[in-house]
Coordinates of all heavy atoms in Angstrom, one line a residue:
M202 N -26.5 -3.2 -4.3 CA -26.0 -2.5 -3.3 C -25.9 -1.0 -3.8 O -25.5 -0.2 -3.0 CB -24.5 -3.1 -3.0 CG -23.8 -2.1 -2.2 SD -22.6 -2.8 -1.1 CE -22.1 -4.2 -1.4
E203 N -26.4 -0.6 -4.8 CA -26.5 0.7 -5.1 C -27.0 1.7 -4.2 O -26.5 2.8 -4.0 CB -27.2 0.8 -6.6 CG -26.8 2.0 -7.3 CD -27.3 1.9 -8.7 OE1 -26.6 1.2 -9.4 OE2 -28.3 2.5 -8.9
N204 N -28.1 1.2 -3.5 CA -28.7 2.2 -2.4 C -28.2 2.0 -1.0 O -28.6 2.6 -0.2 CB -30.2 1.9 -2.5 CG -30.7 2.4 -3.8 OD1 -30.3 3.4 -4.4 ND2 -31.9 1.7 -4.3
S205 N -27.1 1.1 -0.9 CA -26.6 0.9 0.5 C -26.0 2.1 1.0 O -25.3 2.8 0.2 CB -25.5 -0.2 0.4 OG -24.9 -0.3 1.5
P206 N -26.2 2.5 2.3 CA -25.5 3.6 2.9 C -24.0 3.4 3.1 O -23.3 4.2 3.6 CB -26.3 3.8 4.1 CG -26.7 2.4 4.5 CD -27.0 1.8 3.2
V207 N -23.5 2.0 3.0 CA -22.1 1.8 3.2 C -21.4 1.3 2.0 O -22.0 0.6 1.2 CB -22.1 0.7 4.4 CG1 -20.7 0.4 4.7 CG2 -22.9 1.2 5.6
R208 N -20.1 1.6 1.7 CA -19.4 1.2 0.8 C -18.1 0.5 1.3 O -17.6 1.0 2.2 CB -19.0 2.3 -0.2 CG -20.2 2.7 -1.0 CD -19.8 3.3 -2.3 NE -21.1 4.0 -2.8 CZ -21.0 5.2 -3.4 NH1 -19.9 5.9 -3.4 NH2 -22.1 5.9 -3.8
Y209 N -17.6 -0.5 0.6 CA -16.5 -1.1 1.0 C -15.3 -1.1 0.0 O -15.6 -0.7 -1.2 CB -16.8 -2.7 1.2 CG -18.1 -2.8 1.9 CD1 -19.3 -3.2 1.2 CD2 -18.2 -2.7 3.2 CE1 -20.5 -3.4 1.8 CE2 -19.4 -2.8 3.9 CZ -20.5 -3.2 3.2 OH -21.8 -3.3 3.8
A210 N -14.1 -1.5 0.5 CA -12.9 -1.4 -0.4 C -13.1 -2.5 -1.4 O -13.5 -3.7 -1.0 CB -11.8 -1.5 0.3
A211 N -12.8 -2.2 -2.6 CA -12.7 -3.3 -3.6 C -11.3 -4.0 -3.5 O -11.3 -5.1 -3.8 CB -12.9 -2.8 -5.1
E212 N -10.3 -3.3 -3.1 CA -9.1 -3.9 -3.0 C -8.2 -3.0 -1.9 O -8.5 -1.9 -1.8 CB -8.3 -4.0 -4.2 CG -8.0 -2.6 -4.9 CD -7.4 -2.8 -6.2 OE1 -8.0 -3.3 -7.2 OE2 -6.2 -2.3 -6.4
M213 N -7.2 -3.6 -1.4 CA -6.3 -2.8 -0.5 C -5.2 -2.4 -1.3 O -4.6 -3.1 -2.1 CB -5.9 -3.7 0.6 CG -7.0 -4.4 1.4 SD -8.0 -3.0 2.2 CE -6.8 -2.4 3.4
K214 N -4.7 -1.1 -1.1 CA -3.7 -0.7 -1.8 C -2.2 -1.0 -1.1 O -2.2 -0.8 0.3 CB -3.6 0.9 -1.8 CG -4.6 1.4 -2.8 CD -4.7 2.9 -2.8 CE -5.8 3.3 -3.6 NZ -6.1 4.8 -3.6
E215 N -1.2 -1.4 -1.8 CA 0.1 -1.6 -1.2 C 0.7 -0.3 -0.9 O 0.6 0.7 -1.6 CB 1.0 -2.5 -2.1 CG 0.5 -3.9 -2.2 CD 1.4 -4.8 -2.9 OE1 2.5 -4.5 -2.9 OE2 0.9 -5.7 -3.6
G216 N 1.5 -0.2 0.1 CA 2.5 0.9 0.5 C 1.6 2.0 1.1 O 2.1 3.1 1.2
S217 N 0.5 1.7 1.6 CA -0.5 2.7 2.3 C 0.2 3.2 3.5 O 1.0 2.5 4.3 CB -1.7 2.1 2.6 OG -2.5 3.2 3.5
T218 N 0.1 4.5 3.8 CA 0.7 5.1 5.1 C -0.3 5.1 6.3 O 0.1 5.4 7.3 CB 1.2 6.5 4.9 OG1 0.0 7.2 4.3 CG2 2.3 6.6 3.8
E219 N -1.5 4.7 5.9 CA -2.5 4.6 7.1 C -2.0 3.4 8.0 O -1.4 2.5 7.6 CB -3.8 4.2 6.5 CG -4.4 5.3 5.7 CD -5.8 5.0 5.1 OE1 -6.1 3.8 5.1 OE2 -6.5 5.9 4.8
S220 N -2.6 3.5 9.2 CA -2.3 2.5 10.3 C -3.0 1.2 9.7 O -4.0 1.2 9.0 CB -2.8 2.9 11.7 OG -4.3 3.0 11.5
P221 N -2.4 0.0 10.2 CA -3.0 -1.3 9.8 C -4.5 -1.4 10.1 O -5.3 -1.7 9.4 CB -2.2 -2.2 10.5 CG -1.0 -1.6 10.8 CD -1.2 -0.2 11.0
G222 N -4.8 -0.8 11.3 CA -6.2 -0.9 11.9 C -7.1 0.0 11.0 O -8.2 -0.5 10.6
K223 N -6.7 1.1 10.6 CA -7.5 2.0 9.8 C -7.7 1.4 8.3 O -8.8 1.5 7.8 CB -6.8 3.4 9.6 CG -7.6 4.4 9.0 CD -8.7 4.8 9.8 CE -9.5 6.0 9.1 NZ -10.7 6.5 9.8
S224 N -6.6 0.8 7.8 CA -6.7 0.3 6.5 C -7.8 -0.9 6.5 O -8.2 -1.3 5.5 CB -5.4 0.1 5.7 OG -4.7 -0.9 6.6
R225 N -7.6 -1.7 7.6 CA -8.4 -3.0 7.7 C -9.9 -2.6 8.1 O -10.7 -3.4 7.5 CB -7.6 -3.8 8.7 CG -8.2 -5.3 8.7 CD -7.3 -6.1 9.5 NE -7.4 -5.7 11.0 CZ -8.4 -6.0 11.9 NH1 -9.4 -6.9 11.5 NH2 -8.5 -5.8 13.0
I226 N -10.1 -1.6 8.9 CA -11.5 -1.5 9.4 C -12.1 -0.4 8.8 O -13.3 -0.3 8.5 CB -11.3 -1.2 11.0 CG1 -10.7 -2.5 11.6 CG2 -12.6 -1.0 11.5 CD1 -10.2 -2.4 12.9
G227 N -11.3 0.8 8.3 CA -12.0 1.9 7.8 C -12.7 2.9 8.6 O -12.2 2.9 9.8
L228 N -13.7 3.5 8.2 CA -14.4 4.5 9.0 C -14.9 4.0 10.3 O -15.0 4.8 11.3 CB -15.6 5.0 8.2 CG -15.3 5.8 7.0 CD1 -16.5 6.2 6.2 CD2 -14.5 7.1 7.4
C229 N -15.4 2.7 10.5 CA -16.0 2.2 11.7 C -14.9 2.4 12.9 O -15.4 2.6 14.0 CB -16.2 0.7 11.6 SG -17.6 0.5 10.3
L230 N -13.6 2.4 12.5 CA -12.7 2.5 13.6 C -12.8 3.7 14.5 O -12.6 3.6 15.6 CB -11.3 2.3 13.1 CG -10.1 2.3 13.9 CD1 -10.1 1.0 14.7 CD2 -8.8 2.5 13.3
D231 N -13.1 4.9 13.7 CA -13.2 6.2 14.3 C -14.7 6.6 14.5 O -15.0 7.9 14.7 CB -12.5 7.1 13.7 CG -11.0 6.9 13.5 OD1 -10.5 6.3 14.5 OD2 -10.4 6.9 12.4
C232 N -15.7 5.8 14.4 CA -17.2 6.2 14.4 C -17.8 6.0 15.8 O -17.5 5.0 16.6 CB -17.9 5.2 13.4 SG -19.7 5.8 13.2
H233 N -18.6 7.0 16.1 CA -19.4 7.1 17.4 C -20.2 5.8 17.5 O -20.4 5.3 18.6 CB -20.1 8.4 17.4 CG -21.0 8.4 18.5 ND1 -20.8 8.7 19.8 CD2 -22.5 8.2 18.5 CE1 -21.8 8.8 20.6 NE2 -22.9 8.5 19.7
H234 N -20.7 5.4 16.4 CA -21.8 4.3 16.3 C -21.2 3.0 16.4 O -22.0 1.9 16.6 CB -22.6 4.4 15.1 CG -23.3 5.7 15.0 ND1 -24.3 6.1 15.9 CD2 -23.1 6.8 14.1 CE1 -24.7 7.3 15.6 NE2 -24.1 7.7 14.6
V235 N -19.9 2.7 16.4 CA -19.3 1.3 16.5 C -19.4 0.8 17.8 O -19.2 1.5 18.8 CB -17.9 1.3 15.8 CG1 -16.9 1.9 16.8 CG2 -17.6 -0.1 15.3
R236 N -19.5 -0.5 17.9 CA -19.5 -1.3 19.3 C -18.5 -2.3 18.9 O -18.8 -3.3 18.2 CB -20.8 -1.8 19.7 CG -21.9 -0.9 19.7 CD -21.6 0.2 20.9 NE -22.6 1.2 21.0 CZ -22.7 2.3 20.5 NH1 -21.7 2.8 19.7 NH2 -23.7 3.2 20.5
R237 N -17.3 -2.3 19.7 CA -16.2 -3.2 19.5 C -16.5 -4.4 20.4 O -16.7 -4.2 21.5 CB -14.9 -2.6 19.9 CG -13.6 -3.3 19.4 CD -12.5 -2.4 19.5 NE -11.2 -3.1 19.1 CZ -10.4 -3.6 20.1 NH1 -10.7 -3.6 21.3 NH2 -9.3 -4.4 19.5
I238 N -16.5 -5.6 19.8 CA -16.8 -6.9 20.6 C -15.7 -7.9 20.4 O -15.3 -8.1 19.3 CB -18.1 -7.4 20.0 CG1 -19.4 -6.4 20.2 CG2 -18.4 -8.8 20.7 CD1 -20.6 -6.8 19.5
E239 N -15.3 -8.3 21.6 CA -14.2 -9.3 21.6 C -14.8 -10.7 22.0 O -15.4 -10.7 23.1 CB -13.1 -8.9 22.5 CG -12.5 -7.5 22.1 CD -11.1 -7.4 22.4 OE1 -10.3 -8.4 22.8 OE2 -10.5 -6.2 22.3
S240 N -14.5 -11.6 21.1 CA -15.0 -13.0 21.5 C -14.1 -13.7 22.5 O -13.0 -13.3 22.7 CB -15.2 -13.8 20.2 OG -13.9 -14.2 19.9
A241 N -14.6 -14.8 23.1 CA -13.7 -15.5 24.0 C -12.6 -16.1 23.4 O -11.6 -16.5 24.0 CB -14.6 -16.7 24.7
K242 N -12.7 -16.3 22.1 CA -11.5 -16.8 21.3 C -10.5 -15.8 20.8 O -9.6 -16.2 20.1 CB -12.0 -17.6 20.0 CG -12.9 -18.9 20.4 CD -13.3 -19.7 19.2 CE -14.0 -20.9 19.6 NZ -14.5 -21.6 18.4
G243 N -10.8 -14.5 21.2 CA -9.9 -13.6 20.9 C -10.1 -12.7 19.5 O -9.3 -11.9 19.2
S244 N -11.2 -13.0 18.9 CA -11.5 -12.4 17.6 C -12.2 -11.1 18.0 O -12.8 -11.0 19.0 CB -12.6 -13.2 16.8 OG -11.9 -14.4 16.4
T245 N -12.0 -10.1 17.1 CA -12.7 -8.7 17.4 C -13.7 -8.5 16.2 O -13.4 -8.7 15.1 CB -11.6 -7.6 17.3 OG1 -10.6 -7.9 18.4 CG2 -12.2 -6.3 17.7
F246 N -14.9 -8.0 16.6 CA -15.9 -7.8 15.7 C -16.3 -6.4 16.0 O -16.1 -5.8 17.1 CB -17.1 -8.6 16.0 CG -16.8 -10.1 15.8 CD1 -16.4 -10.9 16.9 CD2 -16.9 -10.7 14.5 CE1 -16.1 -12.2 16.7 CE2 -16.6 -12.0 14.4 CZ -16.2 -13.0 15.5
Y247 N -16.8 -5.7 14.8 CA -17.3 -4.2 14.9 C -18.7 -4.2 14.5 O -19.1 -4.5 13.4 CB -16.4 -3.5 14.0 CG -15.0 -3.4 14.4 CD1 -14.0 -4.4 14.0 CD2 -14.5 -2.4 15.1 CE1 -12.7 -4.4 14.6 CE2 -13.2 -2.3 15.7 CZ -12.3 -3.3 15.4 OH -11.1 -3.3 15.8
R248 N -19.6 -4.0 15.6 CA -21.0 -4.0 15.3 C -21.5 -2.6 15.2 O -21.0 -1.6 15.8 CB -21.8 -4.6 16.6 CG -23.3 -4.5 16.4 CD -23.9 -5.4 17.5 NE -23.7 -5.0 18.8 CZ -24.4 -3.9 19.4 NH1 -25.4 -3.3 18.6 NH2 -24.1 -3.7 20.6
C249 N -22.3 -2.3 14.2 CA -22.8 -0.9 13.9 C -24.2 -0.8 14.6 O -25.2 -1.4 14.5 CB -23.1 -0.9 12.4 SG -23.9 0.8 12.0
A250 N -24.1 0.2 15.6 CA -25.4 0.5 16.4 C -26.5 1.1 15.6 O -27.7 1.1 16.0 CB -25.0 1.3 17.6
V251 N -26.1 1.7 14.5 CA -27.2 2.4 13.7 C -28.1 1.3 13.0 O -29.2 1.5 12.9 CB -26.6 3.1 12.5 CG1 -27.6 3.8 11.7 CG2 -25.7 4.3 13.0
S252 N -27.6 0.1 12.9 CA -28.4 -1.0 12.3 C -29.6 -1.5 13.2 O -30.5 -1.9 12.8 CB -27.5 -2.2 12.2 OG -27.1 -2.8 13.4
E253 N -29.5 -1.0 14.5 CA -30.6 -1.2 15.4 C -31.9 -0.5 15.0 O -33.0 -0.8 15.3 CB -30.3 -1.0 16.9 CG -29.1 -1.9 17.4 CD -28.5 -1.4 18.6 OE1 -29.0 -0.5 19.2 OE2 -27.3 -1.8 19.0
S254 N -31.8 0.6 14.4 CA -32.9 1.6 14.1 C -33.0 1.7 12.7 O -34.1 2.2 12.2 CB -32.7 2.8 14.8 OG -31.5 3.5 14.5
D255 N -32.1 1.3 11.9 CA -32.2 1.6 10.4 C -31.6 0.2 9.6 O -30.5 0.0 9.7 CB -31.3 2.7 10.0 CG -31.4 3.0 8.5 OD1 -31.8 2.2 7.6 OD2 -31.1 4.2 8.2
P256 N -32.6 -0.5 9.2 CA -32.2 -1.9 8.5 C -31.3 -1.7 7.3 O -30.9 -2.7 6.9 CB -33.7 -2.4 8.1 CG -34.5 -1.3 8.1 CD -34.0 -0.2 9.1
K257 N -31.1 -0.4 6.8 CA -30.2 -0.3 5.7 C -28.7 -0.6 6.0 O -28.0 -0.8 5.2 CB -30.3 1.2 5.0 CG -31.8 1.3 4.3 CD -31.8 2.5 3.5 CE -31.5 3.8 4.1 NZ -32.6 4.4 4.9
F258 N -28.5 -0.4 7.4 CA -27.2 -0.6 7.8 C -27.0 -2.1 8.3 O -27.9 -2.6 9.0 CB -26.9 0.3 9.0 CG -26.7 1.7 8.6 CD1 -27.9 2.5 8.3 CD2 -25.4 2.2 8.4 CE1 -27.7 3.9 7.9 CE2 -25.2 3.6 8.1 CZ -26.4 4.3 7.7
A259 N -25.9 -2.7 7.9 CA -25.6 -4.0 8.3 C -25.2 -4.0 9.8 O -24.5 -3.2 10.3 CB -24.5 -4.7 7.5
K260 N -25.7 -5.0 10.5 CA -25.3 -5.1 11.9 C -23.7 -5.1 12.0 O -23.1 -4.7 13.0 CB -25.9 -6.5 12.6 CG -25.7 -6.6 14.0 CD -26.6 -7.7 14.6 CE -26.5 -7.8 16.1 NZ -27.3 -8.8 16.7
Y261 N -23.1 -6.2 11.2 CA -21.7 -6.3 11.1 C -21.2 -6.0 9.7 O -21.3 -6.8 8.9 CB -21.3 -7.8 11.5 CG -21.6 -8.1 13.1 CD1 -22.7 -8.7 13.5 CD2 -20.8 -7.6 14.0 CE1 -23.0 -9.0 14.6 CE2 -21.0 -7.9 15.3 CZ -22.1 -8.5 15.6 OH -22.5 -8.8 17.0
P262 N -20.9 -4.6 9.5 CA -20.5 -4.3 8.2 C -19.3 -5.0 7.7 O -18.4 -5.3 8.5 CB -20.2 -2.8 8.4 CG -20.4 -2.4 9.7 CD -20.7 -3.7 10.5
R263 N -19.2 -5.2 6.4 CA -18.0 -5.8 5.8 C -17.0 -4.8 5.6 O -17.2 -3.6 5.3 CB -18.4 -6.3 4.4 CG -17.5 -7.4 3.8 CD -18.0 -7.9 2.5 NE -17.1 -7.2 1.4 CZ -17.5 -7.1 0.3 NH1 -18.6 -7.5 -0.1 NH2 -16.7 -6.6 -0.6
L264 N -15.8 -5.1 6.3 CA -14.8 -4.2 6.5 C -13.6 -4.3 5.4 O -13.5 -5.4 4.8 CB -14.1 -4.5 7.8 CG -15.0 -4.3 9.0 CD1 -14.3 -4.6 10.3 CD2 -15.7 -2.9 9.1
P265 N -12.9 -3.2 5.0 CA -13.1 -1.9 5.5 C -14.2 -1.1 4.9 O -14.5 -1.3 3.6 CB -11.7 -1.2 5.2 CG -11.3 -2.0 3.9 CD -11.9 -3.4 4.0
V266 N -14.9 -0.3 5.7 CA -15.9 0.6 5.2 C -15.2 1.9 4.8 O -14.5 2.6 5.7 CB -17.0 0.9 6.4 CG1 -17.9 2.0 5.9 CG2 -17.8 -0.4 6.6
L267 N -15.3 2.3 3.5 CA -14.7 3.4 3.0 C -15.6 4.7 3.0 O -15.1 5.8 3.1 CB -14.1 3.2 1.7 CG -13.2 2.1 1.5 CD1 -12.5 2.0 0.1 CD2 -12.0 2.3 2.6
V268 N -16.9 4.6 2.8 CA -17.9 5.5 2.6 C -19.1 5.1 3.4 O -19.6 4.1 3.2 CB -18.2 5.8 1.2 CG1 -19.4 7.1 1.1 CG2 -17.0 6.4 0.3
C269 N -19.6 5.9 4.2 CA -20.8 5.7 5.1 C -21.7 6.9 5.4 O -21.1 7.9 6.0 CB -20.3 5.0 6.4 SG -21.8 4.4 7.3
S270 N -22.9 6.9 5.1 CA -23.7 8.1 5.4 C -24.0 8.2 6.8 O -24.4 9.3 7.4 CB -25.1 8.0 4.5 OG -25.8 6.9 5.0
G271 N -23.8 7.1 7.7 CA -24.0 7.1 9.1 C -22.8 7.4 9.9 O -22.9 7.7 11.1
F272 N -21.6 7.7 9.3 CA -20.4 7.9 10.0 C -20.6 9.2 10.8 O -21.1 10.3 10.3 CB -19.2 8.0 9.1 CG -17.9 8.4 9.8 CD1 -17.3 7.5 10.5 CD2 -17.5 9.7 9.7 CE1 -16.1 7.8 11.2 CE2 -16.3 10.1 10.2 CZ -15.6 9.1 11.1
K273 N -20.3 9.2 12.1 CA -20.1 10.3 13.1 C -18.8 10.2 13.8 O -18.7 9.1 14.5 CB -21.4 10.2 13.9 CG -21.4 11.3 15.0 CD -22.7 11.2 15.9 CE -22.6 12.3 17.0 NZ -23.7 12.2 18.0
P274 N -18.0 11.0 13.7 CA -16.7 10.9 14.4 C -16.8 10.8 15.9 O -17.7 11.4 16.5 CB -16.0 12.2 14.1 CG -16.7 12.9 12.9 CD -18.1 12.3 12.9
K275 N -15.9 10.0 16.5 CA -15.9 9.9 17.9 C -15.6 11.3 18.5 O -14.8 11.8 17.9 CB -15.0 8.9 18.5 CG -15.4 7.5 18.2 CD -14.2 6.4 18.6 CE -14.7 5.0 18.3 NZ -13.6 4.1 18.6
A276 N -16.2 11.6 19.7 CA -15.9 12.8 20.4 C -14.5 12.9 20.8 O -13.9 11.9 21.1 CB -16.8 13.0 21.4
Ligands
SF4_310 S1 -22.5 4.2 11.0 FE1 -21.2 3.5 9.3 S2 -19.0 4.0 9.9 FE2 -20.3 4.2 11.8 S3 -20.3 2.1 12.7 FE3 -22.0 2.0 11.3 S4 -21.1 1.3 9.4 FE4 -19.5 1.8 10.6

């Protein structure tokens, strides 16, 4: 994974002041490239649109994403 453009959390910190969504999802939560998908069973998935043009990016990144070279803030 050394050359991967995406990095994940090795562990979650207790007592974090971040919102639960931010600590669980990471950068994808606020990224222009994310596509939020809700299943019929009520599950939520976060698909990375960059993966459509760049195979180095996972279609469904393992969350939370902490560092990502493709991150672009939502407008
Ligand atoms: S570019 Fe990175 S931060 Fe943005 S949706 Fe894809 S994996 Fe998440």
Side-chain angles (χ1 to χ4, degrees):
M202 170 149 12
E203 205 167 277
N204 294 326
S205 172
V207 179
R208 292 209 191 132
Y209 316 103
E212 62 184 63
M213 302 298 291
K214 291 180 184 168
E215 287 185 32
S217 171
T218 56
E219 293 179 340
S220 70
K223 185 71 176 177
S224 61
R225 192 172 63 82
I226 298 161
L228 289 174
C229 297
L230 188 67
D231 301 317
C232 182
H233 168 78
H234 299 296
V235 77
R236 305 293 179 265
R237 193 167 179 262
I238 298 164
E239 300 209 14
S240 74
K242 292 182 178 178
S244 298
T245 302
F246 299 92
Y247 293 85
R248 182 170 60 80
C249 175
V251 179
S252 68
E253 296 165 14
S254 58
D255 189 337
K257 292 193 299 286
F258 288 79
K260 186 172 183 179
Y261 292 99
R263 206 175 98 201
L264 305 176
V266 171
L267 300 182
V268 178
C269 179
S270 62
F272 175 74
K273 180 181 172 185
K275 288 179 182 172

